[in-house]
Amino acid sequence: VPEDEKDSAAHKVAVDGMVAVLLGIQPGFRQLLLALLELGAAVAENCDVNHMTVSNVATVLGPNLMRSTASDPGAMIQEALAINRATHFMIQHFAVLGPALSSSLAREGAPAKSFRHAHPEESA
């Protein structure tokens, strides 16, 4: 198997794994996460104007999504880095994760609003 296909297969496994993890979150929290990831992706799309790359958005958003459970300072730093990497991954792959979360919410009867389309300037 060519190296790029291995990477692509591993990438698909990683994305599918993240979808599976996110689908385990309670619907209300999943709906909030969907909105925050959508916002993070929208901010990062404009990084040429606002200098907020996916990494920068993940650094700001990650600690507010997940908390470290460690009491040791070294372990806290390692957990913070893992939280930022996970948040980066979710924002970077929002194009796949967003629809998966939206469709799961729709199947469960929860409204899955898109905040991107609710922006007043876009509807004018």
Side-chain angles (χ1 to χ4, degrees):
V1 177
E3 198 62 37
D4 60 338
E5 287 182 29
K6 286 181 187 176
D7 292 342
S8 132
H11 181 262
K12 181 174 176 6
V13 168
V15 171
D16 290 347
M18 183 61 80
V19 168
V21 168
L22 297 178
L23 292 179
I25 298 173
Q26 295 175 11
F29 292 125
R30 200 173 339 129
Q31 189 172 19
L32 179 59
L33 179 63
L34 174 64
L36 291 172
L37 292 176
E38 182 179 19
L39 175 64
V43 169
E45 282 177 9
N46 293 298
C47 69
D48 55 331
V49 175
N50 62 26
H51 305 287
M52 291 298 290
T53 63
V54 173
S55 294
N56 290 341
V57 174
T59 299
V60 172
L61 195 56
N64 295 291
L65 295 177
M66 300 173 256
R67 298 269 185 243
S68 173
T69 57
S71 56
D72 174 61
M76 287 175 76
I77 291 170
Q78 291 304 312
E79 283 188 13
L81 292 172
I83 288 167
N84 289 347
R85 280 193 303 273
T87 305
H88 184 282
F89 185 89
M90 290 186 289
I91 294 168
Q92 185 176 30
H93 296 92
F94 181 75
V96 174
L97 298 175
L101 293 175
S102 290
S103 64
S104 72
L105 289 165
R107 282 192 305 273
E108 295 167 5
K113 297 179 183 177
S114 173
F115 296 94
R116 185 177 296 228
H117 302 293
H119 196 280
E121 294 168 3
E122 290 180 9
S123 61

PDB file of all heavy atoms in Angstrom, residues 40 43-44 47 50-58:
ATOM      1  N   GLY A  40     -15.424  28.158  15.882  1.00  0.00           N
ATOM      2  CA  GLY A  40     -13.968  28.042  15.782  1.00  0.00           C
ATOM      3  C   GLY A  40     -13.501  27.886  14.350  1.00  0.00           C
ATOM      4  O   GLY A  40     -12.524  28.514  13.926  1.00  0.00           O
ATOM      5  N   VAL A  43     -13.896  31.246  12.529  1.00  0.00           N
ATOM      6  CA  VAL A  43     -12.842  32.192  12.924  1.00  0.00           C
ATOM      7  C   VAL A  43     -11.537  31.820  12.227  1.00  0.00           C
ATOM      8  O   VAL A  43     -10.852  32.674  11.662  1.00  0.00           O
ATOM      9  CB  VAL A  43     -12.678  32.218  14.464  1.00  0.00           C
ATOM     10  CG1 VAL A  43     -11.422  32.982  14.862  1.00  0.00           C
ATOM     11  CG2 VAL A  43     -13.908  32.828  15.121  1.00  0.00           C
ATOM     12  N   ALA A  44     -11.203  30.531  12.232  1.00  0.00           N
ATOM     13  CA  ALA A  44      -9.947  30.083  11.621  1.00  0.00           C
ATOM     14  C   ALA A  44      -9.941  30.279  10.102  1.00  0.00           C
ATOM     15  O   ALA A  44      -8.881  30.508   9.517  1.00  0.00           O
ATOM     16  CB  ALA A  44      -9.694  28.622  11.968  1.00  0.00           C
ATOM     17  N   CYS A  47      -8.251  33.550   9.117  1.00  0.00           N
ATOM     18  CA  CYS A  47      -6.976  33.785   9.799  1.00  0.00           C
ATOM     19  C   CYS A  47      -6.101  34.799   9.071  1.00  0.00           C
ATOM     20  O   CYS A  47      -5.266  35.443   9.705  1.00  0.00           O
ATOM     21  CB  CYS A  47      -6.222  32.484  10.038  1.00  0.00           C
ATOM     22  SG  CYS A  47      -5.587  31.711   8.549  1.00  0.00           S
ATOM     23  N   ASN A  50      -7.677  37.920  10.814  1.00  0.00           N
ATOM     24  CA  ASN A  50      -7.695  37.997  12.274  1.00  0.00           C
ATOM     25  C   ASN A  50      -6.512  37.305  12.961  1.00  0.00           C
ATOM     26  O   ASN A  50      -6.409  37.329  14.176  1.00  0.00           O
ATOM     27  CB  ASN A  50      -9.014  37.436  12.819  1.00  0.00           C
ATOM     28  CG  ASN A  50      -9.218  35.975  12.479  1.00  0.00           C
ATOM     29  OD1 ASN A  50      -8.282  35.220  12.278  1.00  0.00           O
ATOM     30  ND2 ASN A  50     -10.477  35.565  12.424  1.00  0.00           N
ATOM     31  N   HIS A  51      -5.647  36.641  12.198  1.00  0.00           N
ATOM     32  CA  HIS A  51      -4.462  35.945  12.716  1.00  0.00           C
ATOM     33  C   HIS A  51      -4.808  34.798  13.665  1.00  0.00           C
ATOM     34  O   HIS A  51      -3.944  34.334  14.419  1.00  0.00           O
ATOM     35  CB  HIS A  51      -3.478  36.911  13.375  1.00  0.00           C
ATOM     36  CG  HIS A  51      -3.062  38.020  12.486  1.00  0.00           C
ATOM     37  ND1 HIS A  51      -2.203  37.844  11.431  1.00  0.00           N
ATOM     38  CD2 HIS A  51      -3.426  39.324  12.456  1.00  0.00           C
ATOM     39  CE1 HIS A  51      -2.037  38.994  10.800  1.00  0.00           C
ATOM     40  NE2 HIS A  51      -2.770  39.916  11.394  1.00  0.00           N
ATOM     41  N   MET A  52      -6.064  34.350  13.642  1.00  0.00           N
ATOM     42  CA  MET A  52      -6.487  33.236  14.484  1.00  0.00           C
ATOM     43  C   MET A  52      -6.480  31.961  13.648  1.00  0.00           C
ATOM     44  O   MET A  52      -7.459  31.604  13.005  1.00  0.00           O
ATOM     45  CB  MET A  52      -7.876  33.496  15.082  1.00  0.00           C
ATOM     46  CG  MET A  52      -7.890  34.609  16.109  1.00  0.00           C
ATOM     47  SD  MET A  52      -6.846  34.271  17.554  1.00  0.00           S
ATOM     48  CE  MET A  52      -7.781  32.969  18.339  1.00  0.00           C
ATOM     49  N   THR A  53      -5.327  31.291  13.649  1.00  0.00           N
ATOM     50  CA  THR A  53      -5.198  30.017  12.948  1.00  0.00           C
ATOM     51  C   THR A  53      -5.964  28.954  13.713  1.00  0.00           C
ATOM     52  O   THR A  53      -6.422  29.187  14.844  1.00  0.00           O
ATOM     53  CB  THR A  53      -3.725  29.615  12.855  1.00  0.00           C
ATOM     54  OG1 THR A  53      -3.235  29.423  14.192  1.00  0.00           O
ATOM     55  CG2 THR A  53      -2.889  30.659  12.121  1.00  0.00           C
ATOM     56  N   VAL A  54      -6.074  27.774  13.129  1.00  0.00           N
ATOM     57  CA  VAL A  54      -6.722  26.666  13.831  1.00  0.00           C
ATOM     58  C   VAL A  54      -6.016  26.418  15.163  1.00  0.00           C
ATOM     59  O   VAL A  54      -6.660  26.213  16.188  1.00  0.00           O
ATOM     60  CB  VAL A  54      -6.743  25.386  12.960  1.00  0.00           C
ATOM     61  CG1 VAL A  54      -7.246  24.193  13.747  1.00  0.00           C
ATOM     62  CG2 VAL A  54      -7.596  25.594  11.714  1.00  0.00           C
ATOM     63  N   SER A  55      -4.696  26.470  15.173  1.00  0.00           N
ATOM     64  CA  SER A  55      -3.936  26.261  16.415  1.00  0.00           C
ATOM     65  C   SER A  55      -4.261  27.323  17.458  1.00  0.00           C
ATOM     66  O   SER A  55      -4.429  27.011  18.635  1.00  0.00           O
ATOM     67  CB  SER A  55      -2.434  26.271  16.139  1.00  0.00           C
ATOM     68  OG  SER A  55      -2.079  25.170  15.352  1.00  0.00           O
ATOM     69  N   ASN A  56      -4.335  28.575  17.024  1.00  0.00           N
ATOM     70  CA  ASN A  56      -4.648  29.654  17.961  1.00  0.00           C
ATOM     71  C   ASN A  56      -6.061  29.510  18.528  1.00  0.00           C
ATOM     72  O   ASN A  56      -6.286  29.686  19.728  1.00  0.00           O
ATOM     73  CB  ASN A  56      -4.496  31.020  17.285  1.00  0.00           C
ATOM     74  CG  ASN A  56      -3.064  31.367  16.987  1.00  0.00           C
ATOM     75  OD1 ASN A  56      -2.141  30.806  17.541  1.00  0.00           O
ATOM     76  ND2 ASN A  56      -2.875  32.306  16.078  1.00  0.00           N
ATOM     77  N   VAL A  57      -7.018  29.187  17.654  1.00  0.00           N
ATOM     78  CA  VAL A  57      -8.401  29.004  18.120  1.00  0.00           C
ATOM     79  C   VAL A  57      -8.465  27.825  19.092  1.00  0.00           C
ATOM     80  O   VAL A  57      -9.115  27.904  20.132  1.00  0.00           O
ATOM     81  CB  VAL A  57      -9.370  28.805  16.932  1.00  0.00           C
ATOM     82  CG1 VAL A  57     -10.770  28.474  17.425  1.00  0.00           C
ATOM     83  CG2 VAL A  57      -9.406  30.048  16.051  1.00  0.00           C
ATOM     84  N   ALA A  58      -7.770  26.740  18.767  1.00  0.00           N
ATOM     85  CA  ALA A  58      -7.769  25.561  19.643  1.00  0.00           C
ATOM     86  C   ALA A  58      -7.167  25.882  21.010  1.00  0.00           C
ATOM     87  O   ALA A  58      -7.654  25.405  22.042  1.00  0.00           O
ATOM     88  CB  ALA A  58      -7.000  24.420  18.982  1.00  0.00           C
TER      89      ALA A  58
END
